Amino acid sequence: MAVAEICLFPLGTDTPSVGKYLEPVIEEIRKSGLKYMVCPMGTVVEGDIDSILRLIKRCHEAIFKAGAKRVVISVKIDDRVDKPITIESKLGI
């Protein structure tokens, strides 16, 4: 099990508001079936590493389909084999 923070930054947009580009990304995350938490500066997901990496690819495709001309993706992954890891364990709850 891994926990990852994913943040997509659409560039080359006509406006500083990016909601219309990120809505399809959030929909891909919802459809993934992975546990997730939308945060102010990114989205945290929990799952096996292969599922997380496939999700990142689908998010990448979704933001371009929404009209972004360029995208920068920031990903942080915490993957452990010594003990279970969850979003809640990362938050200390």
Side-chain angles (χ1 to χ4, degrees), residues 17-56:
S17 179
V18 295
K20 78 174 191 173
Y21 302 99
L22 296 178
E23 287 172 8
V25 171
I26 297 300
E27 183 58 28
E28 285 298 323
I29 294 168
R30 281 189 191 111
K31 291 187 324 188
S32 74
L34 297 178
K35 185 182 212 177
Y36 70 94
M37 178 184 297
V38 177
C39 302
M41 300 298 290
T43 301
V44 178
V45 296
E46 173 185 311
D48 66 87
I49 193 70
D50 290 330
S51 296
I52 290 171
L53 293 173
R54 282 192 301 271
L55 174 61
I56 293 166

Side-chain angles (χ1 to χ4, degrees), residues 45-83:
V45 296
E46 173 185 311
D48 66 87
I49 193 70
D50 290 330
S51 296
I52 290 171
L53 293 173
R54 282 192 301 271
L55 174 61
I56 293 166
K57 180 170 176 44
R58 288 194 310 272
C59 291
H60 176 256
E61 293 166 350
I63 201 165
F64 278 118
K65 285 181 186 172
K69 304 292 182 219
R70 182 177 178 188
V71 64
V72 173
I73 302 173
S74 173
V75 178
K76 290 188 239 178
I77 299 174
D78 189 349
D79 191 9
R80 295 186 70 150
V81 295
D82 61 329
K83 67 179 189 176

